[in-house]
Amino acid sequence: MPEKFLMTPPIDRSDNIIKNHLFRRQFSLKHLKKKVDDEVVEDLPLKTHIVIIFSEKCKQSTCEDVEKVIQEHGLNTELEILSKTEKFLYVSATTETLLKLADEHGLTKKTVTGTMQRFNRYSVNTFLVGDMTEDDLVINSEAPRLIKDTIKPSLMSYFRNGSIEDFFPLHDIDYLNKFTFKVQRKLPIEDIRNYFGSSIGLYFGFLESYTNALVIPTIFGFLQYYFDFSLVTVCAFYMIWTTVFLELWKRRCSTFSYRWGTIEMTSLDKPRAAYYGDLKPDPITGKMIPHYPMKYTYMQMYLVSYPVVFLCAIASMYFAIYQFQIEAEVLHDFGPDSKLLYVPVIVQSVLIAIFSWAYEKLATFLTVTENHRTRCQYDRHRVNKLIIFEIVNNFFSLFYIAFILCDLKQLKYQLMMQLIIFQLVCIAQEIGIPLMAVIRQKITKYMHTEMDEEQRSNVKDINRYEQSFFEGGLDKYTSTYEDYLQICIQFGYVVLFAAVAPFASLGALINNICAIYIDLFKLCNIFKRPFARRAKNIGAWQSGFEVLSVIAVVSNCGLLYMQDEVRETVGKKFPTMPALTFIIFEHLLLVIKFILHKAIHERPRSIRVAQLIDEHETHQALKHLKSLTAVRKNK
Amino acid sequence: MPEKFLMTPPIDRSDNIIKNHLFRRQFSLKHLKKKVDDEVVEDLPLKTHIVIIFSEKCKQSTCEDVEKVIQEHGLNTELEILSKTEKFLYVSATTETLLKLADEHGLTKKTVTGTMQRFNRYSVNTFLVGDMTEDDLVINSEAPRLIKDTIKPSLMSYFRNGSIEDFFPLHDIDYLNKFTFKVQRKLPIEDIRNYFGSSIGLYFGFLESYTNALVIPTIFGFLQYYFDFSLVTVCAFYMIWTTVFLELWKRRCSTFSYRWGTIEMTSLDKPRAAYYGDLKPDPITGKMIPHYPMKYTYMQMYLVSYPVVFLCAIASMYFAIYQFQIEAEVLHDFGPDSKLLYVPVIVQSVLIAIFSWAYEKLATFLTVTENHRTRCQYDRHRVNKLIIFEIVNNFFSLFYIAFILCDLKQLKYQLMMQLIIFQLVCIAQEIGIPLMAVIRQKITKYMHTEMDEEQRSNVKDINRYEQSFFEGGLDKYTSTYEDYLQICIQFGYVVLFAAVAPFASLGALINNICAIYIDLFKLCNIFKRPFARRAKNIGAWQSGFEVLSVIAVVSNCGLLYMQDEVRETVGKKFPTMPALTFIIFEHLLLVIKFILHKAIHERPRSIRVAQLIDEHETHQALKHLKSLTAVRKNK
């Protein structure tokens, strides 16, 4: 075995992303070949689902304690202590154990009759659709998640005292091939969900829908520019487009979440690990779980968090206004050609960056103290706070220029500048983050002392060791927050001032096409594999986009009114109430928006029918079994 | 037996409401006495649930055919042919049959564990809470409904050819005592639901909530009048009050519908009797039911119905504007003292009445052609059409005066006039309808030839015969439409121009307190007992009230801007944009309204927990039974 790896020692493989990619390809080919070579493998070793890396200070006895704790849950473990810095614990599970966990966690799976039912380990056959085997029932992303949910609560003390340094699922290198650029033509959303979980699956689903939808305003933008549409048309068009797009996405989203078995998730599901409170029996399942009074959460939210958020938003507004004043003063004192004009802009940019960073910490802190029960709730409330601030931060100065200074020319200039800077930052982030990762790995390389041949021979499964070591050095994927935020702000630039920026959607379209592939590449190559997160929708982002689409109606109508020629024409026609016409027009658009919103049902009929079929089947099965029991008793 | 009735022959008892009331009391006392007298009644006859009255032209053979059809469903019948005009068929059901029907129709009932589960006749014991017996499981209002749903489809041909003249459940005179004025202090909503069904139960629930909620604006109205609040306060107050009231009602409504087992109703439930289409197997239950493509319904709705509705609404607006012009012309030609001034008002009132009546027919016709599947959907879409028109009809002229003519003085005058007329009409209806019923019954009396002694002795159960005969002469209760419409328009008067009409809510409060008891009295005494209708909420009326509460924000802010002094003050402070301040204020109120709407959850947490417990119990039961089956198989 060891000879195979002599030419390329393991450490080299982690030194940069390109080599890593090559390594993976090689590995995968080798693996494939091996499979073909000895087709009848009697005793295939269990697949390692999770790797636990212990910290340097952790003693061997502690490692063994952890192993015992995990084994108590019926999981298989393998402890490998190579040196002081390299202590790995590999966690795996037999199919039987996984099925038991799937049953306990109430996963929803498709049955042979085509309905979605909660998985039941006593009737496994019902869930074996087509040529599935029992091994395929718990999919790639679910196994690590199930194991994590099972063992994490008992390991909390080891996390807290720092014995466990890292805890992550291993990448499945065969599966990753599905995401290489060449193979795919359409975005493989089902595979992404199977591999990364439904939360990331929905992100890509949304990004794809949004990118496709952007084609329409791009074409409209060209027409608007060449044929010089009236602004009334532009307002109406964007109102309809944003509303229909967001409603259709909701329908598509529910199709996904139905198929993925997450549509029935509620805020009363199993609490997240960090949720604290008195241990009480859960009213639903009767298990002992922490219980934190809702009133404290609400008090914290409405009396502390949101007031703070609004203060920050107002502070941000004042800051923007103050900047305009300083700029005006500098212009007045030093004239328009002075290089001093750049000073306030630069100072402000730096301050905004610091302010944003501090605000994110603050929002996270506030949301943590609110102590939401589920991960989805936590994310939603955190994102809510961040969106409010980001919208103010990004768009307030534009509103100020448009409606308080009433300066359309400066608005166009400022909008263009902001848009260009925003796109540049996006590109920089998308290329910069991989670059940073490479540099980091270089440093890791120097820090790492090479392993000698003797140790190498101690390693049981050299591939697994290498993969664990390499992936342990990768960055942790935190959440989809940054990615969604980028699309959300971009959406704002596309719709809020569409009346004066017809080509914003073209830029967004190009940017998004690249973003899809870069995001997927980053997930596969520069981050540790994330634990799958279940999600039934895109959470607070749906509201974020909806809020922007409502503001867009107001702002575009405002822009319409700002146009001098329009104001004059209307003023002549209706001399008593030029503003009234605009108010009526704006309210009319909002009413139509609301009607569209109501008329398009959140879930397609087929999904609603399917849900009722599922429910009916459950009740019929129950009735049937009960009648059998009744007959038996009577006998 | 017959001697008892000699003093007061049966016909007399139906001649007016007061006597009817006395008759019922007597009957009830007698009944009670009888019960006490012979406590151990071995062979109590089955309670008659439904009476079918055949038309004069219907032959005896047809009557017997109908009887056979009904018997085929496992129901008990009794045919009584007394004369050509008096052919009664009494339908009743044994407890066993009722339980079977309850199971088939999937009624939701409370179990001993406190959860709500679909009724299952194989585990009846699970549903016997407290000291309930099997007879109590199917409640008073459900039995006639279950029987109707079972037999009506097979009787459709007899209804169509006019053989069956009438088809109604009999009043339960013992139960009606619960609704007499003396006994009750709080509105007995649970009893109303048990007796009249959940649709009427929710109506009374809503009316009660609304009446209680009206106390707050009544007090506010006094304060507003005496302390001369600023209109900004008034706008904000009504925004908060309407939103909170409507949201809290939604929560209360879901508490009711959960307890009543209707919360899970969907648009895919059993179709109503008049639904037509190709017979196809239902995707959910697999039973053969009519199936009408949704696309035709949508096409009819969006291409025909709503355009027609909007044309009618616009016509109504033009009509209102035209009236103002005529009035102005009359004023101009004949001077302000001329009696001719009344002519256009009278002509218009008559025309509006005719127009309204025609429009209701039109809306019903349009909704029928849309062919909605369930009764709830049908009602919702019919009410939607009617609300749009009624809102325009009642309030457009006020808006025209306020915002186009900008005449606050005339607005106040017109508002007061309309409000007084509206209240008078309400009172007239509430007293008039009972009066009409009395006159009608008088006429019936003259038409009816007295029954001779011989015939009388043929009658098996004289009480039942008398009750059937008497109730056959009562009016049919159509729907809660008229009652809801009255509250809805009243709500409009209270909130839309609250800024200039501080005492409207006082009038509404007084009116509603009377309305609750009059409505209940009417239901018990002057109408045939209606078949219970299942409902999970108040349907289109919720949206109707919500729309009015949004319009109220806009109109009150408009009124605020119309005030001369306010306009001047703001104009001095912000000379560049007086209107902008108002637009921002109005949008701010709308945003707060929206946030309140989102922050208050539609269903109380307890109900959501309870629903999840129910679901969990179902799945656990299924799992348990399946594991038992699995064990048995392995053995």
Side-chain angles (χ1 to χ4, degrees):
Chain A
M1 267 269 189
E3 295 93 331
K4 284 189 194 173
F5 298 91
L6 278 181
M7 281 164 65
T8 48
I11 302 311
D12 273 315
R13 270 162 208 144
S14 68
D15 69 352
N16 74 35
I17 285 168
I18 298 131
K19 278 200 186 160
N20 162 34
H21 217 67
L22 287 171
F23 156 72
R24 283 190 173 171
R25 301 235 89 186
Q26 266 178 313
F27 176 93
S28 157
L29 286 172
K30 263 190 287 180
H31 204 72
L32 208 72
K33 227 182 127 201
K34 215 169 83 188
K35 260 193 190 164
V36 177
D37 283 356
D38 36 18
E39 266 219 325
V40 194
V41 185
E42 286 263 311
D43 205 26
L44 210 83
L46 280 177
K47 190 174 148 192
T48 303
H49 288 111
I50 291 183
V51 175
I52 296 175
I53 301 182
F54 294 101
S55 64
E56 209 175 323
K57 64 168 189 173
C58 179
K59 286 178 201 151
Q60 185 165 350
S61 62
T62 320
C63 299
E64 279 158 8
D65 286 349
V66 171
E67 191 178 10
K68 257 179 229 155
V69 169
I70 294 174
Q71 280 172 347
E72 271 166 21
H73 289 284
L75 297 165
N76 303 41
T77 55
E78 211 172 304
L79 186 64
E80 204 159 52
I81 300 184
L82 299 173
S83 70
K84 225 179 166 187
T85 53
E86 289 178 305
K87 284 170 284 195
F88 297 101
L89 179 65
Y90 305 104
V91 184
S92 53
T94 58
T95 304
E96 202 182 335
T97 316
L98 284 179
L99 292 183
K100 189 171 145 271
L101 292 180
D103 180 310
E104 277 167 13
H105 284 77
L107 292 189
T108 307
K109 294 273 168 196
K110 197 170 182 171
T111 66
V112 279
T113 54
T115 58
M116 301 293 292
Q117 296 291 345
R118 288 214 198 160
F119 177 68
N120 186 334
R121 63 182 140 145
Y122 298 110
S123 54
V124 175
N125 288 333
T126 336
F127 295 91
L128 297 176
V129 183
D131 50 0
M132 271 168 81
T133 65
E134 289 196 0
D135 300 329
D136 305 327
L137 268 173
V138 175
I139 59 168
N140 209 313
S141 64
E142 282 169 349
R145 181 83 227 178
L146 286 174
I147 296 172
K148 181 191 174 188
D149 285 345
T150 313
I151 63 176
K152 187 132 188 213
S154 9
L155 297 182
M156 280 314 275
S157 58
Y158 298 102
F159 279 102
R160 283 204 196 97
N161 69 23
S163 306
I164 297 176
E165 195 182 83
D166 220 335
F167 177 78
F168 58 92
L170 280 183
H171 268 295
D172 183 331
I173 296 174
D174 286 337
Y175 212 104
L176 281 180
N177 281 330
K178 297 199 182 188
F179 307 129
T180 50
F181 199 72
K182 278 181 208 156
V183 178
Q184 81 214 35
R185 282 191 198 163
K186 219 174 151 284
L187 202 59
I189 292 178
E190 287 299 321
D191 291 329
I192 293 177
R193 178 259 165 170
N194 288 344
Y195 189 72
F196 291 109
S198 41
S199 172
I200 293 177
L202 284 180
Y203 167 70
F204 281 98
F206 179 72
L207 188 52
E208 193 194 44
S209 293
Y210 173 51
T211 310
N212 291 342
L214 269 176
V215 173
I216 299 167
T218 306
I219 296 170
F220 183 84
F222 279 107
L223 298 176
Q224 177 186 349
Y225 186 76
Y226 288 111
F227 296 102
D228 206 14
F229 283 160
S230 102
L231 283 192
V232 174
T233 323
V234 177
C235 291
F237 168 79
Y238 275 92
M239 181 276 290
I240 293 171
W241 176 72
T242 54
T243 315
V244 172
F245 154 59
L246 288 171
E247 292 303 319
L248 290 185
W249 160 249
K250 246 194 251 168
R251 290 166 72 90
R252 194 169 171 220
C253 177
S254 72
T255 317
F256 283 134
S257 60
Y258 175 74
R259 201 159 56 216
W260 299 345
T262 56
I263 203 164
E264 308 252 10
M265 281 173 73
T266 69
S267 61
L268 294 154
D269 285 348
K270 272 193 91 170
R272 66 204 174 93
Y275 180 69
Y276 57 86
D278 304 335
L279 273 182
K280 276 185 191 173
D282 183 48
I284 297 157
T285 59
K287 285 176 197 157
M288 290 303 274
I289 53 154
H291 181 266
Y292 184 77
M294 279 302 283
K295 63 176 174 194
Y296 293 138
T297 301
Y298 283 129
M299 273 164 61
Q300 171 75 20
M301 259 168 70
Y302 294 121
L303 299 181
V304 181
S305 299
Y306 281 102
V308 169
V309 169
F310 282 108
L311 282 182
C312 289
I314 289 168
S316 164
M317 286 181 195
Y318 267 103
F319 194 72
I321 295 173
Y322 188 66
Q323 187 222 352
F324 283 111
Q325 284 174 353
I326 299 231
E327 263 183 42
E329 271 175 37
V330 172
L331 193 71
H332 181 260
D333 292 353
F334 301 93
D337 298 326
S338 164
K339 284 194 177 153
L340 273 172
L341 266 175
Y342 292 108
V343 176
V345 177
I346 293 167
V347 171
Q348 194 222 13
S349 305
V350 173
L351 283 178
I352 279 190
I354 296 171
F355 204 28
S356 282
W357 174 84
Y359 181 78
E360 197 181 326
K361 299 279 163 217
L362 179 70
T364 309
F365 169 75
L366 287 173
T367 317
V368 167
T369 44
E370 282 164 21
N371 191 23
H372 292 284
R373 183 184 161 117
T374 61
R375 182 79 209 185
C376 287
Q377 272 178 302
Y378 170 83
D379 279 343
R380 196 172 68 234
H381 286 285
R382 181 168 164 271
V383 170
N384 268 342
K385 294 186 185 68
L386 290 164
I387 291 181
I388 292 173
F389 184 75
E390 290 290 344
I391 288 179
V392 170
N393 215 2
N394 281 279
F395 302 115
F396 176 74
S397 54
L398 294 173
F399 276 90
Y400 187 78
I401 297 171
F403 302 116
I404 308 291
L405 301 182
C406 301
D407 187 341
L408 279 188
K409 217 171 161 187
Q410 203 196 331
L411 174 70
K412 277 183 199 170
Y413 172 75
Q414 177 92 7
L415 184 63
M416 211 176 67
M417 286 301 293
Q418 284 202 12
L419 202 58
I420 290 171
I421 293 174
F422 173 74
Q423 297 281 30
L424 286 178
V425 170
C426 286
I427 293 168
Q429 273 186 352
E430 268 158 20
I431 299 177
I433 290 176
L435 217 72
M436 289 275 286
V438 171
I439 293 167
R440 212 176 190 170
Q441 282 164 23
K442 285 261 182 208
I443 296 167
T444 319
K445 187 195 156 186
Y446 287 113
M447 305 279 281
H448 188 75
T449 48
E450 281 217 14
M451 202 196 288
D452 54 34
E453 212 47 33
E454 191 207 358
Q455 263 190 321
R456 171 171 288 282
S457 60
N458 285 338
V459 176
K460 249 191 215 156
D461 182 344
I462 197 80
N463 278 338
R464 183 176 66 181
Y465 160 73
E466 280 176 13
Q467 204 192 341
S468 309
F469 175 76
F470 162 71
E471 288 182 12
L474 294 179
D475 278 330
K476 201 183 160 196
Y477 184 79
T478 49
S479 75
T480 45
Y481 170 71
E482 291 292 335
D483 300 316
Y484 273 120
L485 181 66
Q486 198 173 308
I487 323 180
C488 186
I489 299 297
Q490 189 202 68
F491 182 76
Y493 281 117
V494 172
V495 299
L496 286 184
F497 299 93
V500 295
F503 292 118
S505 48
L506 176 66
L509 182 63
I510 295 168
N511 185 72
N512 283 358
I513 291 172
C514 306
I516 290 178
Y517 295 106
I518 295 178
D519 283 345
L520 194 53
F521 176 81
K522 283 198 291 189
L523 268 171
C524 296
N525 294 287
I526 72 159
F527 288 118
K528 283 194 189 92
R529 181 174 179 190
F531 282 104
R533 261 184 212 156
R534 285 157 61 77
K536 67 170 174 179
N537 54 32
I538 62 172
W541 296 106
Q542 182 80 35
S543 345
F545 282 87
E546 280 170 6
V547 166
L548 280 176
S549 79
V550 173
I551 301 181
V553 172
V554 180
S555 64
N556 282 314
C557 287
L559 286 181
L560 170 62
Y561 183 56
M562 287 292 146
Q563 308 269 321
D564 287 333
E565 54 281 38
V566 176
R567 208 195 281 215
E568 270 167 33
T569 327
V570 177
K572 267 179 206 158
K573 275 190 195 159
F574 308 96
T576 50
M577 29 154 200
L580 189 63
T581 324
F582 282 96
I583 295 175
I584 291 174
F585 179 65
E586 189 228 333
H587 282 73
L588 192 70
L589 285 188
L590 287 176
V591 167
I592 296 172
K593 188 174 168 56
F594 180 75
I595 292 172
L596 276 177
H597 170 77
K598 282 276 162 189
I600 302 176
H601 201 291
E602 215 177 322
R603 292 177 183 174
R605 198 180 164 83
S606 58
I607 298 295
R608 283 178 285 151
V609 170
Q611 283 187 297
L612 289 172
I613 293 177
D614 300 349
E615 208 185 315
H616 184 75
E617 204 183 73
T618 310
H619 285 108
Q620 286 309 95
L622 195 63
K623 204 179 269 185
H624 175 69
L625 286 171
K626 282 213 173 154
S627 74
L628 281 184
T629 325
V631 168
R632 230 174 245 132
K633 266 184 199 160
N634 291 343
K635 274 182 186 170
Chain B
M1 266 270 191
E3 295 94 330
K4 284 187 190 173
F5 296 91
L6 277 180
M7 281 164 67
T8 47
I11 302 313
D12 274 315
R13 270 159 209 148
S14 69
D15 69 352
N16 74 37
I17 286 169
I18 298 133
K19 276 202 189 159
N20 161 34
H21 216 66
L22 287 172
F23 157 70
R24 283 190 172 174
R25 300 234 91 184
Q26 264 180 314
F27 175 92
S28 157
L29 286 173
K30 262 189 287 177
H31 202 72
L32 206 73
K33 225 179 133 207
K34 214 168 83 188
K35 261 193 188 164
V36 177
D37 283 353
D38 35 18
E39 265 220 326
V40 194
V41 184
E42 286 261 313
D43 206 26
L44 210 84
L46 279 177
K47 190 172 145 191
T48 303
H49 289 111
I50 292 182
V51 175
I52 296 175
I53 301 181
F54 295 100
S55 63
E56 208 176 325
K57 63 168 191 174
C58 180
K59 286 176 200 153
Q60 186 165 349
S61 62
T62 319
C63 297
E64 280 158 6
D65 285 349
V66 172
E67 193 179 10
K68 257 179 228 156
V69 169
I70 294 174
Q71 279 171 347
E72 271 166 21
H73 289 285
L75 297 165
N76 304 41
T77 53
E78 212 172 303
L79 188 62
E80 203 159 55
I81 298 183
L82 299 173
S83 69
K84 223 178 168 188
T85 53
E86 288 178 305
K87 284 171 285 195
F88 297 102
L89 180 64
Y90 304 104
V91 184
S92 53
T94 59
T95 303
E96 203 183 335
T97 316
L98 284 178
L99 292 183
K100 189 170 147 273
L101 292 180
D103 180 312
E104 278 166 12
H105 283 77
L107 291 190
T108 307
K109 293 273 169 195
K110 197 170 181 169
T111 66
V112 279
T113 55
T115 59
M116 301 292 294
Q117 297 291 345
R118 290 216 197 158
F119 178 68
N120 185 334
R121 64 180 140 145
Y122 298 110
S123 54
V124 175
N125 288 332
T126 336
F127 296 91
L128 297 176
V129 183
D131 50 359
M132 272 169 80
T133 65
E134 289 196 2
D135 299 330
D136 305 327
L137 268 173
V138 175
I139 58 169
N140 208 313
S141 65
E142 282 169 350
R145 180 82 226 179
L146 286 174
I147 296 171
K148 182 191 172 187
D149 284 346
T150 313
I151 61 177
K152 187 133 187 211
S154 7
L155 296 182
M156 280 315 276
S157 57
Y158 298 101
F159 280 101
R160 285 206 194 95
N161 68 22
S163 305
I164 297 177
E165 194 182 84
D166 219 336
F167 177 76
F168 59 92
L170 280 183
H171 268 294
D172 183 331
I173 295 172
D174 285 337
Y175 211 103
L176 280 181
N177 282 331
K178 297 198 183 192
F179 307 130
T180 50
F181 198 72
K182 278 182 211 156
V183 179
Q184 80 214 34
R185 283 193 195 159
K186 221 176 149 284
L187 202 58
I189 292 177
E190 287 299 319
D191 291 328
I192 292 176
R193 178 257 165 171
N194 289 342
Y195 189 73
F196 291 110
S198 41
S199 174
I200 292 177
L202 283 180
Y203 166 70
F204 280 98
F206 179 73
L207 189 51
E208 194 194 44
S209 292
Y210 173 53
T211 309
N212 291 341
L214 270 176
V215 173
I216 300 168
T218 305
I219 296 170
F220 184 85
F222 278 107
L223 298 176
Q224 177 185 350
Y225 185 75
Y226 287 109
F227 296 101
D228 205 15
F229 284 160
S230 102
L231 282 192
V232 175
T233 323
V234 177
C235 291
F237 168 79
Y238 276 92
M239 182 276 290
I240 294 171
W241 176 71
T242 54
T243 315
V244 172
F245 154 59
L246 288 171
E247 291 304 319
L248 289 185
W249 159 248
K250 244 194 250 169
R251 289 167 72 92
R252 194 168 173 221
C253 176
S254 72
T255 315
F256 283 134
S257 60
Y258 175 73
R259 202 161 54 218
W260 299 345
T262 55
I263 202 164
E264 309 253 9
M265 281 173 72
T266 69
S267 60
L268 294 153
D269 284 348
K270 272 193 92 174
R272 65 204 174 93
Y275 181 68
Y276 58 86
D278 303 335
L279 273 182
K280 276 185 190 175
D282 183 47
I284 297 158
T285 58
K287 284 176 199 158
M288 291 302 274
I289 52 153
H291 181 267
Y292 184 76
M294 279 301 283
K295 65 176 174 196
Y296 292 137
T297 301
Y298 282 129
M299 273 163 61
Q300 171 75 20
M301 259 169 72
Y302 294 121
L303 300 181
V304 182
S305 299
Y306 282 102
V308 170
V309 169
F310 282 107
L311 282 182
C312 288
I314 289 169
S316 162
M317 287 182 196
Y318 268 102
F319 194 72
I321 295 174
Y322 188 65
Q323 187 222 352
F324 282 111
Q325 284 173 353
I326 298 229
E327 263 182 44
E329 271 174 38
V330 173
L331 193 71
H332 180 260
D333 292 352
F334 301 94
D337 298 325
S338 163
K339 283 193 177 153
L340 272 173
L341 266 176
Y342 292 107
V343 176
V345 177
I346 292 165
V347 171
Q348 192 220 15
S349 303
V350 173
L351 283 179
I352 280 191
I354 295 171
F355 204 27
S356 281
W357 174 84
Y359 182 78
E360 198 183 324
K361 299 278 164 220
L362 179 71
T364 309
F365 169 75
L366 287 173
T367 317
V368 167
T369 44
E370 282 165 20
N371 192 21
H372 292 284
R373 183 183 159 117
T374 61
R375 181 80 209 186
C376 287
Q377 273 178 301
Y378 169 84
D379 280 342
R380 197 173 67 234
H381 286 285
R382 179 167 166 275
V383 170
N384 267 341
K385 295 187 186 65
L386 290 165
I387 291 182
I388 294 173
F389 184 76
E390 290 290 344
I391 288 180
V392 170
N393 216 4
N394 282 279
F395 302 116
F396 176 74
S397 54
L398 293 173
F399 276 90
Y400 186 78
I401 295 171
F403 302 116
I404 308 291
L405 302 183
C406 301
D407 188 342
L408 279 189
K409 218 172 161 186
Q410 204 195 331
L411 174 69
K412 277 183 199 171
Y413 173 75
Q414 177 91 6
L415 184 63
M416 212 178 66
M417 286 302 293
Q418 284 201 14
L419 201 58
I420 290 169
I421 293 174
F422 172 74
Q423 296 281 30
L424 287 179
V425 170
C426 286
I427 293 168
Q429 272 185 354
E430 269 156 20
I431 299 176
I433 291 175
L435 217 73
M436 287 276 286
V438 172
I439 294 166
R440 214 175 189 170
Q441 282 165 22
K442 285 259 184 217
I443 295 167
T444 319
K445 185 192 158 187
Y446 287 113
M447 305 281 280
H448 188 76
T449 48
E450 280 217 16
M451 202 194 290
D452 54 35
E453 212 48 33
E454 189 206 2
Q455 262 190 320
R456 171 171 287 282
S457 61
N458 286 337
V459 176
K460 248 192 214 154
D461 181 343
I462 196 81
N463 278 336
R464 183 174 68 181
Y465 159 73
E466 280 178 10
Q467 203 192 343
S468 308
F469 175 75
F470 162 71
E471 289 183 11
L474 294 179
D475 277 331
K476 202 183 160 197
Y477 184 79
T478 50
S479 76
T480 46
Y481 170 71
E482 291 291 336
D483 299 316
Y484 273 120
L485 181 66
Q486 197 173 308
I487 323 180
C488 186
I489 299 298
Q490 188 201 68
F491 182 75
Y493 282 118
V494 172
V495 299
L496 286 184
F497 298 94
V500 294
F503 292 118
S505 47
L506 176 66
L509 182 64
I510 296 167
N511 185 70
N512 283 359
I513 292 171
C514 306
I516 291 178
Y517 295 106
I518 295 178
D519 284 345
L520 193 53
F521 176 81
K522 281 199 292 190
L523 267 171
C524 296
N525 294 287
I526 72 159
F527 288 119
K528 281 193 191 94
R529 180 173 179 189
F531 281 105
R533 258 183 214 158
R534 283 158 61 77
K536 68 168 173 179
N537 54 33
I538 62 170
W541 296 105
Q542 182 80 35
S543 343
F545 281 87
E546 280 170 7
V547 166
L548 280 177
S549 79
V550 173
I551 301 180
V553 173
V554 180
S555 63
N556 282 313
C557 286
L559 286 182
L560 170 63
Y561 184 55
M562 287 294 149
Q563 307 270 322
D564 287 333
E565 54 285 34
V566 177
R567 208 195 282 217
E568 270 166 33
T569 326
V570 177
K572 268 179 205 159
K573 275 191 194 159
F574 309 95
T576 50
M577 29 159 200
L580 188 63
T581 324
F582 283 97
I583 295 176
I584 291 175
F585 179 66
E586 189 228 335
H587 281 74
L588 193 70
L589 286 188
L590 288 176
V591 167
I592 297 173
K593 187 173 169 57
F594 180 75
I595 292 173
L596 276 177
H597 169 77
K598 281 276 162 188
I600 303 176
H601 200 291
E602 214 176 324
R603 291 176 185 175
R605 199 181 162 82
S606 57
I607 298 297
R608 283 178 286 151
V609 171
Q611 282 186 298
L612 289 173
I613 294 177
D614 300 350
E615 209 185 313
H616 184 75
E617 205 183 71
T618 310
H619 285 109
Q620 286 303 325
L622 195 64
K623 204 180 270 187
H624 175 69
L625 286 171
K626 282 214 173 154
S627 74
L628 281 185
T629 326
V631 169
R632 230 174 244 131
K633 266 184 199 160
N634 290 342
K635 274 181 186 169

